[in-house]
Amino acid sequence: MLTATLLLAGLLLAYANGANDNFKGVATLFGCGATDYRRALVWATVTTLAGSAASVVLAGEILKSFSGKGLVDPHLVSAPTYTAAVALGAAATVLVATRVGMPVSTTHALIGALLGAGVAAGSAVDGGRLIDGFAKPMLVSPLIAIVATVTVYPLLRRARAACGVTASTCLCAGQERFECAPAGMAAATTLPVAPLSFRVGDAEECFKQHSGEVLKVESASVMETAHYISAGAVGFARGLNDTPKIAAILLAAPSIGGPTSLILVGLLMAIGGLLNARRVAMTMSQRITPLNPGQGFTANLLTSLIVIGASRLGLPVSTTHVSCGALFGIGAVSGSANWAAIATILLAWVTTLPVGGALGALCYWGLGGTAGS
């Protein structure tokens, strides 16, 4: 029974992660109007699954890190009660955040639950490993993303201008009905006509594009392709970095090996994203800062490079924090950041770890765990 609870808890955490995280790589595609919600979600799911598959080979160090070894007492690592409590506490934290549309870090929720359940079990916590192995990478990574974006985006913008590619705002053409009274007729007998008209569209209808050519190819086409590739790279990086963190929970179950746990987690992450990603998608796409394709490409490129690099080094960074940090940087450079929304997101980040810790402890006690067991 306890093993079944552990498996269900781990899969619930994978589902919660997918619901909160799957759209983050493609949020820029949807936010700038390059594609619709459904197509963006499909692209996110495909690329995340590819990253999950690659994690079987490339992310072994993260799998070891999130087993809890070295962070809490060794005997807890293989105890189903402890690992199930960690998974349930982290899953509950992420699901609540998803419900209110807040993009939070599953990594933070997991670490909070690891610590909370460990303290409830009476375990000592290795503070040095907590700071060096977890806290530093997660605190530094969003700052790196912000600084990198603020530095790189102006350089890319200048390079675009040097290539003769200019930005242009689209015009929306459509049929607009208005009432017209022909000469000699009363107003009550006016006839509706529908002349062709042009107007500047709002942010939901139109978006800024690029005009010009790069190597005799239309720049808009080049940017669209690059933007899709960069969004896919973020999805791949997220699958590569997040899948082993959650799969480590399932290793406490008998007969569940590393590759099997990674595959199960990847599938549940995909399902969670397909069914429950919309609220967080709206926050990431529309509430942080307005975007054009070039800005979205820059944010995605830097996010994918940082997260993939961290995965290869075995550093448990948060894809959420890195991708949001890149968007914060874009908003700061363009002067269009929604600071109220950013402050709300930062508040959600600050509370994720303690909430995960409290829920991890409550789940440990609820599953019948006691101090010293």
Side-chain angles (χ1 to χ4, degrees):
M1 185 66 180
L2 192 54
T3 299
T5 301
L6 170 60
L7 288 173
L8 290 174
L11 296 178
L12 178 63
L13 176 59
Y15 180 94
N17 173 271
N20 196 275
D21 282 23
N22 262 20
F23 204 84
K24 289 167 183 172
V26 298
T28 58
L29 288 173
F30 181 52
C32 76
T35 190
D36 60 26
Y37 175 79
R38 185 176 297 277
R39 290 178 181 174
L41 186 58
V42 169
W43 183 232
T45 303
V46 169
T47 54
T48 299
L49 277 172
S52 296
S55 70
V56 175
V57 177
L58 299 177
E61 288 302 315
I62 295 179
L63 188 65
K64 295 176 184 177
S65 296
F66 277 81
S67 66
K69 290 181 180 178
L71 186 62
V72 295
D73 289 343
H75 75 275
L76 281 179
V77 173
S78 58
T81 302
Y82 172 74
T83 50
V86 170
L88 287 173
T93 303
V94 176
L95 286 173
V96 169
T98 303
R99 178 64 182 171
V100 298
M102 284 293 103
V104 298
S105 168
T106 303
T107 306
H108 269 196
L110 264 173
I111 293 173
L114 283 167
L115 294 174
V119 171
S123 169
V125 175
D126 187 335
R129 173 153 173 74
L130 174 63
I131 293 173
D132 294 334
F134 295 93
K136 285 182 180 179
M138 289 189 299
L139 289 173
V140 171
S141 57
L143 297 177
I144 292 175
I146 293 172
V147 172
T149 306
V150 170
T151 303
V152 171
Y153 177 63
L155 297 177
L156 292 178
R157 188 167 54 188
R158 289 173 193 155
R160 167 180 59 79
C163 292
V165 177
T166 59
S168 60
T169 302
C170 73
L171 290 175
C172 297
Q175 297 288 330
E176 289 197 351
R177 297 178 63 87
F178 65 96
E179 300 297 323
C180 175
M185 296 181 65
T189 59
T190 57
L191 300 175
V193 296
L196 182 66
S197 63
F198 292 89
R199 61 189 173 84
V200 176
D202 60 28
E204 294 182 355
E205 299 171 292
C206 299
F207 57 94
K208 189 170 288 187
Q209 299 191 28
H210 296 97
S211 58
E213 293 186 349
V214 178
L215 300 177
K216 297 185 178 181
V217 180
E218 282 293 328
S219 60
S221 176
V222 172
M223 181 52 63
E224 181 179 4
T225 301
H227 195 181
Y228 265 90
I229 292 173
S230 69
V234 174
F236 180 88
R238 199 192 73 74
L240 181 66
N241 196 269
D242 281 4
T243 304
K245 297 173 188 174
I246 302 170
I249 298 293
L250 300 182
L251 293 181
S255 74
I256 298 293
T260 301
S261 65
L262 290 166
I263 292 169
L264 288 174
V265 168
L267 290 174
L268 266 293
M269 284 166 54
I271 294 171
L274 288 172
L275 297 181
N276 274 103
R278 183 173 287 274
R279 294 191 183 212
V280 173
M282 295 301 115
T283 299
M284 292 285 294
S285 302
Q286 300 175 2
R287 295 173 190 164
I288 295 176
T289 182
L291 291 168
N292 63 43
Q295 293 167 343
F297 164 74
T298 304
N300 287 338
L301 175 65
L302 294 174
T303 297
S304 60
L305 290 175
I306 293 170
V307 175
I308 290 174
S311 297
R312 293 299 296 133
L313 295 173
L315 299 175
V317 301
S318 165
T319 308
T320 300
H321 289 187
V322 175
S323 60
C324 285
L327 292 177
F328 297 167
I330 291 292
V333 171
S334 65
S336 58
N338 182 347
W339 294 111
I342 291 173
T344 303
I345 292 171
L346 292 175
L347 178 62
W349 289 3
V350 170
T351 58
T352 298
L353 195 146
V355 169
L359 291 176
L362 289 174
C363 289
Y364 182 77
W365 290 322
L367 292 173
T370 58
S373 64

